[in-house]
Amino acid sequence: MGASMTVPNPDHRTLKVMEFINIGVKELAVFWRHFREGDKEMLGVIAIDQFYLLFHEKRSIFGDGIFDLCDIHHTEELDFGEYLVAVIT
């Protein structure tokens, strides 16, 4: 994903989420900008601590559960598609 502020091409999972919550690319860009705020190192992923900081929340069992549920690759980080699923969950 690199350092680009342009919304990446939605993958299959992201397209399904967009359809489910009825948003277009313009609205997806809002989620992308928020995700990029947490991706300080511009690696295309955010760790759990960054996830909590984005939402100004204290760490909790519930939040950890959502993060773990959405981390489908079990990397202890969320890529944009996983982040999007976590946000709408």
Side-chain angles (χ1 to χ4, degrees):
M1 287 185 195
S4 175
M5 287 304 289
T6 304
V7 178
N9 288 330
D11 61 11
H12 177 68
R13 175 186 48 205
T14 303
L15 289 171
K16 288 183 99 172
V17 171
M18 291 171 68
E19 181 181 345
F20 180 73
I21 62 173
N22 195 29
I23 64 169
V25 174
K26 193 174 196 178
E27 293 87 2
L28 186 66
V30 174
F31 288 102
W32 175 246
R33 284 191 297 274
H34 191 248
F35 174 81
R36 296 301 290 177
E37 288 174 19
D39 183 16
K40 300 290 186 200
E41 296 176 11
M42 298 192 165
L43 299 173
V45 293
I46 58 172
I48 195 163
D49 292 335
Q50 296 160 320
F51 181 75
Y52 278 103
L53 286 173
L54 276 175
F55 296 99
H56 309 285
E57 291 291 330
K58 292 181 182 178
R59 194 158 180 175
S60 68
I61 293 172
F62 179 76
D64 285 0
I66 295 293
F67 190 93
D68 290 342
L69 179 68
C70 296
D71 180 17
I72 62 171
H73 301 294
H74 308 292
T75 59
E76 299 184 7
E77 298 174 315
L78 298 181
D79 64 24
F80 179 62
E82 293 168 329
Y83 158 85
L84 186 59
V85 171
V87 170
I88 68 152
T89 298

